[in-house]
């Protein structure tokens, strides 16, 4: 049985990606430009994949 969300194998940990997300918001001053929004969306997807990978690994 395959998982609902296939893992793409994020190399960074969820904590590392989360730090990048926080830094992006700090740099942006709370309002994201179109380019920053696109970066944010990619980071959130990477963070979610990393979280899933950590959960699967822990199981």
């Amino acid at each position: 049985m395959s998982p609902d969300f296939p893992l793409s194998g994020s190399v960074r940990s969820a904590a590392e990606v989360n730090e990048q997300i926080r830094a992006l918001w700090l740099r942006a001053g709370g309002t994201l430009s179109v380019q920053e929004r696109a970066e944010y969306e990619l980071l959130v997807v990477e963070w979610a994949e990393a979280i899933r990978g950590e959960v699967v690994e822990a199981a």
Side-chain angles (χ1 to χ4, degrees), residues 41-54:
E41 290 173 3
L42 290 173
L43 286 169
V44 169
V45 168
E46 183 180 353
W47 175 83
E49 290 173 351
I51 286 290
R52 280 193 299 273
E54 290 172 12

Side-chain angles (χ1 to χ4, degrees), residues 32-39:
L32 299 176
S33 68
V34 172
Q35 182 179 351
E36 290 166 329
R37 182 74 173 164
E39 181 182 352

Side-chain angles (χ1 to χ4, degrees), residues 13 15 20-22 24-26 35 58:
S13 72
Q20 260 203 295
I21 292 170
R22 289 174 185 266
L24 174 62
W25 277 104
L26 284 173
Q35 182 179 351

